[in-house]
């Protein structure tokens, strides 16, 4: 029964076994001259938003730069019914579902999107342009890591950031938490939920306060002072953290709170600025993703840095529903105006035939 259900779900995506490489399938959909909505970003938020819009019978195109933030990860976690699926397969299924309902998914990177009288003119880095009545930004974030040799190379493997994303996979291991920002204390206490062997490396941050030291000691979390100079790798596995004085502390996993930087370079042209967040920066919007720029919505990590895949997808759906409602309101106003203009053309005097309403009464 389960196998049959999976086959039905997969049939919507167009095939039973999706490729695992996010770049393996060319995004070769044609790019039309104009759309109701252009979605910038092909991650969970962008694709789910596009799916909602396509099902609402909107013309929609997703412009996907092919740089998903979770590409280094082996699997998606904490997402009901898709637990353990590779990020690449999840995205490929999403693309196929959008296409199933008539949406376009196009490989490209947006370089500019100035406002026009009727919406936006979106320009891609290769020179292609497309008009959009509304714009949904779901470009996501970039993880900015501390300048410690080896961190980037191990990122998503045995250098991790989110206990809810990776905690189960590193449970009961020797975990080191690299203090590189204000979230280090919180991160150390969280990872203690998954392992009794947690060490906080103060690195370049001030040592814990007296209150923090008491909390760490009560939870059995060791504090090591001194700047971290690098990692020890043994047979392609992290085996230790090397301090500046040459001391190596055995660790199997390193947790680090990256600074999250919004992929929103072209937003400055709108006058829309990013705002500071404890985790980095984000694009402000209301609960539906509507920004202060008319016709422009934002969804996913771009507007909520803490959102996991499920929350990002949900925000894309919410924004899409609001965009569709906004378009419906606009179209209704246009229809009313057209109906009135037609009535005036038929009867310029405004009377209703030989007898006006008062005479009829």
């Amino acid at each position: 029964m389960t196998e049959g259900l999976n086959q039905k779900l997969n049939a919507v995506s167009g095939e039973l076994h999706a490729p695992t490489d996010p770049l393996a399938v060319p995004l070769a959909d044609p790019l039309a001259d104009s759309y109701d909505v252009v979605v910038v970003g092909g991650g969970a938020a962008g694709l789910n938003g596009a799916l909602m819009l396509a099902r609402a019978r909107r013309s929609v195109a997703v412009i996907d730069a092919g740089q998903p933030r979770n590409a280094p990860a082996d699997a998606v976690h904490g997402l009901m019914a898709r637990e353990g699926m590779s990020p690449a397969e999840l995205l490929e299924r999403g693309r196929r579902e959008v296409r199933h309902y008539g949406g376009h998914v196009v490989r490209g990177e947006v370089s500019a999107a100035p406002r026009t009288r009727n919406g936006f003119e979106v320009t891609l880095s290769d020179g292609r342009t497309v008009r959009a009545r509304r714009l949904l930004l779901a470009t996501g974030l970039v993880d900015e890591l501390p300048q410690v040799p080896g961190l980037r190379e191990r990122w998503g493997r045995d250098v991790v950031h989110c206990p809810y994303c990776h905690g189960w996979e590193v449970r009961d291991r020797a975990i080191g938490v690299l203090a590189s920002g204000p979230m280090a204390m919180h991160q150390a206490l969280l990872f203690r939920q998954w392992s009794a062997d947690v060490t906080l490396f103060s690195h370049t941050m001030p040592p814990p306060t007296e209150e923090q030291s008491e909390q760490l000691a009560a939870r059995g979390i060791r504090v090591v002072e001194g700047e971290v100079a690098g990692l020890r790798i043994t047979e392609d596995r992290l085996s230790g953290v090397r301090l500046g004085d040459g001391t190596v502390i055995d660790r199997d996993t390193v947790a680090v709170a990256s600074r999250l930087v919004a992929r929103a370079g072209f937003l400055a042209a709108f006058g829309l600025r990013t705002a500071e967040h404890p985790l980095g920066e984000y694009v402000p919007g209301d609960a539906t993703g509507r920004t202060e720029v008319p016709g422009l919505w934002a969804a996913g990590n771009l507007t909520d840095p803490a959102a996991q895949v499920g929350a990002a997808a949900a925000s894309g759906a919410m924004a899409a529903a609001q965009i569709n409602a906004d378009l419906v309101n606009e179209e209704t106003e246009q229809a009313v105006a057209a109906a009135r203009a037609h009535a005036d053309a038929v009867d310029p005097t405004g009377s209703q035939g030989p007898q006006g309403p008062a005479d009829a009464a």
Side-chain angles (χ1 to χ4, degrees):
M1 180 176 179
T2 302
E3 183 178 353
L5 178 59
N6 286 336
Q7 289 179 349
K8 289 180 181 179
L9 291 173
N10 287 331
V12 175
S13 305
E15 63 176 26
L16 294 180
H17 302 290
T20 57
D21 181 355
L23 303 181
V25 178
L27 301 184
D29 289 347
L31 187 63
D33 292 333
S34 65
Y35 293 90
D36 290 327
V37 186
V38 166
V39 179
V40 186
L47 289 172
N48 209 40
L51 177 63
M52 290 284 286
L53 289 162
R55 283 177 51 81
R57 309 189 75 174
R58 293 294 176 186
S59 60
V60 57
V62 178
I63 310 299
D64 185 1
Q67 299 171 347
R69 180 185 171 208
N70 61 356
D74 290 333
V76 171
H77 297 294
L79 184 61
M80 185 186 71
R82 289 295 179 260
E83 171 65 28
M85 176 179 286
S86 76
E89 182 176 356
L90 183 71
L91 294 180
E92 180 54 28
R93 287 194 180 198
R95 294 169 188 146
R96 292 180 179 276
E97 289 167 355
V98 169
R99 287 170 168 148
H100 176 79
Y101 291 102
H104 291 170
V105 184
V106 179
R107 176 75 71 219
E109 187 169 353
V110 173
S111 58
R115 281 192 56 80
T116 64
R117 187 170 64 88
N118 297 316
F120 303 87
E121 183 172 297
V122 181
T123 300
L124 278 60
S125 58
D126 60 9
R128 288 178 293 172
T129 61
V130 58
R131 295 187 304 277
R133 296 170 64 191
R134 299 292 186 273
L135 209 58
L136 173 57
L137 298 181
T139 50
L141 304 165
V142 175
D143 291 280
E144 192 175 82
L145 298 177
Q147 295 299 310
V148 173
L151 283 184
R152 174 60 65 183
E153 291 76 10
R154 310 301 302 182
W155 183 243
R157 300 168 65 187
D158 34 33
V159 173
V160 300
H161 71 298
C162 171
Y164 300 105
C165 302
H166 308 288
W168 177 264
E169 283 65 41
V170 302
R171 66 194 184 280
D172 299 326
R173 294 186 187 177
I175 300 173
V177 177
L178 181 65
S180 58
M183 300 300 292
M185 177 72 180
H186 177 66
Q187 195 174 35
L189 291 173
L190 281 181
F191 271 98
R192 177 61 180 81
Q193 173 66 22
W194 282 266
S195 175
D197 187 358
V198 177
T199 296
L200 174 63
F201 293 88
S202 62
H203 190 43
T204 57
M205 298 297 293
T209 65
E210 183 176 343
E211 180 182 6
Q212 290 173 335
S213 296
E214 182 181 24
Q215 293 174 343
L216 292 168
R219 294 291 284 158
I221 299 173
R222 176 189 177 191
V223 178
V224 173
E225 296 184 5
E227 187 170 347
V228 172
L231 307 177
R232 182 181 67 191
I233 308 299
T234 305
E235 297 181 352
D236 197 32
R237 297 191 66 174
L238 191 153
S239 61
V241 173
R242 181 176 291 104
L243 303 179
D245 63 5
T247 304
V248 176
I249 309 296
D250 292 343
R251 295 288 91 184
D252 301 319
T253 302
V254 168
V256 58
S258 59
R259 184 175 186 276
L260 305 180
V261 181
R263 285 192 179 110
F266 62 89
L267 290 182
F270 298 121
L272 186 63
R273 307 291 179 179
T274 58
E276 287 300 310
H277 185 279
L279 298 176
E281 62 183 18
Y282 71 105
V283 172
D286 67 12
T288 71
R290 186 192 297 263
T291 72
E292 61 188 23
V293 176
L296 180 67
W297 274 258
N301 281 151
L302 186 65
T303 190
D304 181 4
Q308 291 182 272
V309 173
S315 72
M318 170 65 78
Q322 294 299 315
I323 290 172
N324 182 62
D326 190 51
L327 287 169
V328 166
N329 290 338
E330 178 181 275
E331 290 158 354
T332 302
E333 291 175 1
Q334 292 171 345
V336 169
R340 288 174 177 173
H342 177 73
D344 290 342
V346 172
D347 183 6
T349 66
S351 64
Q352 299 184 13
Q355 276 191 324
D359 296 333

